[in-house]
Amino acid sequence: MDSSVHLDNTVMQFGDFTAIQKTDLTIQSGEFFSFLGPSGCGKTTILNMISGFIDPTQGDIKIGGKSMRGVPANKRPTSMIFQNLALFPLMTVAENIEFGLEVRGVSKSERKKASDRLLELVALEGSGTKKVSELSGGQRQRIAIARALAVEPQVLLLDEPLSALDLKLRQHMRTELKAIQRKTGITFIYITHDQGEALTMSDRVAVMSAGRIQQVADPITLYKDPHTAFVASFVGENNGVSGKVVAANSDLVVLDCGPLGKLSGRSHGNVAVGADATLFIRPEHFRLQAEDGMHTLGATIDEVNFEGAYLTLNAKTPADQALSIQLGTHQFSESLKKGAPVSLSYNEQDAIVIAGEGHV
Amino acid sequence: MFSQLKSRFGSGLAVGIIGMIAIWLIGMVILPQLLMVDYSFRPNLLPADIGGPKDTYSLVNYETLFSNKIHLAIFFKTIWSSVLVTGLTLVVSYPIAFYLAKVATPQKAALCLLLLIIPFWINEILRTFSWYIILAYKGPLNALLLGLGLIDRPIRFLSGDGGVLIGMVYAYILFMIFPIYNAIESLDTNQIKAARNLGAGWIRTHWRVVIPHAKPGIATGCIMTFMLAAGSYAVPALLGSPGSRWFTQIIYNWFFEGGDWNQGAAYAFLLLVICIGFIALVMRVFKVGLGDIAK
């Protein structure tokens, strides 16, 4: 069955405020797709549009190729897991799971079969007669998943469902969600501000900022090849060094970074000579010893933090720019201390040049 | 309670507070009620005979109601009409309460609440009189209906029970709206969204999610409205015709026109007993306890 979701030139406005800028995006059938962004970036609005709680101002939402314009929330082939789960507290666990089937007029015995099967799927056999209040946070989470799956949706929408859980449980639920998605084969659309969640579970991630999708890519590409300054600094940690473009040939760009000299890195070919640009280098790409073809910049150490397997250094460049550097603990030496000079080298293939000032 | 008050205010003030509450409760609530109970079991006598051989306890005053067919009919009609008023008020109030609690923006909700409350700053008698004017045979409502061509000749709203029902629904609507509004407002909006999302239409969403949650509020509203309707005097006196008398009017007549306080007290107690029975019934039907209602 085709359960793709297509945001067809969708725009959402609330009065004068544009929550979602014109967006055209197709989420493949059976894909685990995440929207990642800070709060207020419009990701929940997208979920509300897909589920039918609001209709886009312009454009359309298509599920499985069918236009959803004018289709009310209760007639859409979607099912949502809410941030606060929104289980019905006055119903038992089984009644919660069976609610969607009850609405569809499924017979009592069929409903019972379905809820038993789903309780087994989420490893909570035999808790059908319990009250919701008798369950722990993780169990409630799984009941919410079972309830959403009971209606056999084409698309499952997840609105930061793990944010209320503690760290251990959250990591466990990530694996379980991924497993359930593989087992059921339905399209998962996941909303989160937690990049760890987005990167570990998703097939593809859309990074959003201020109502606009910045980049859509698989997690590795997103990390290695950010297309905008926002993505570069929002996904993972990054150091941005600003300068002016002095040379740009095919995919390699040289920047004049003032007191830091000339530095170069890869680009996507959208920077022009003479324009402002920012060079992004990840903390783990710095080396203390320069090898052939590496670029080196000098800095002064501000702080050394020992974190077990690795060290993080906070340093300042002569241009008074803060840098964060991550080194393997084996590289520790007495010379790495507050106030000491350090020379940092990086491979130009590991650095990305993005047009603009880089402040986001 | 005393030790709490004592630790907070000192023993002198604590005794004062408890004493005032006690005077109020005993002197102004309990004793008058007991006096009325006592009255209701004794015959109506001339002052000279009180305390004499004729002054004996009996159930005669209570039997009067059951032997007087007209009074009995009015008694049951009052109970039945109060149930009707309660039902109608619920039907009118629930959508308003839901709208205020979940649909309206905060500004609109505030405006609506204000519009609902302002008329209640006016005395109940005056408000009821305004309905008297609206519903009059040559009043604006008939004029409007005639003007719209919906009726051929004016309707006598005020001759039957219709005027009383309309007046009462209006008079007690706030007592129904507010408890339901409070109950619905405490419902997590995501619960409604979840029900919709799982495919429930509006009727089922209300029936399975909103109403079960709002049940204590609905019960409170029903009880208050019923009590006020059954005990109402002004509305039936003004909007009702001689053909639609309320039981409270009979009680009033016994007290102030018949001069028979003993008979009036017995009638009043029968009404009270029925009302308490009704509350117990409502609480059982809605499966709510006293604690839920006190919330």
Side-chain angles (χ1 to χ4, degrees), chain A residues 48 53 74 78-80 82 84 86-90 100 102-104 147, chain B residues 188 190-191 193-202 204 208-209 212-213:
Chain A
N48 280 331
F53 294 127
N74 59 333
T78 61
S79 178
M80 177 126 128
F82 292 83
N84 64 355
L87 292 172
F88 304 126
L90 300 173
E102 181 195 317
V103 168
R104 285 162 177 76
R147 184 179 73 173
Chain B
D188 171 18
N190 274 354
Q191 298 260 317
K193 284 173 98 179
R196 297 281 294 156
N197 186 253
L198 290 167
W202 281 116
R204 194 184 296 263
R208 293 283 272 135
V209 177
H213 178 87

Side-chain angles (χ1 to χ4, degrees), chain A residues 11-20 42 44-46 48-49 53-57:
Chain A
V11 177
M12 186 70 225
Q13 283 165 323
F14 298 107
D16 291 339
F17 172 68
T18 305
I20 301 295
T44 303
T45 305
I46 289 195
N48 280 331
M49 287 194 298
F53 294 127
I54 50 176
D55 260 333
T57 319

Side-chain angles (χ1 to χ4, degrees), chain A residues 13-29:
Chain A
Q13 283 165 323
F14 298 107
D16 291 339
F17 172 68
T18 305
I20 301 295
Q21 308 277 356
K22 194 169 204 169
T23 297
D24 197 80
L25 172 74
T26 303
I27 297 161
Q28 303 300 333
S29 195

Side-chain angles (χ1 to χ4, degrees), chain B residues 16-17 37 48 51 94 119 121 134 140 147 155 171 177 180 206 217 257-258 260 265 269 291-292:
Chain B
I17 291 171
V37 175
Y94 181 82
W121 292 350
I134 293 169
I155 299 170
I177 287 181
I180 301 179
H206 281 279
E257 279 163 30
D260 189 345
F269 267 98
D292 296 320

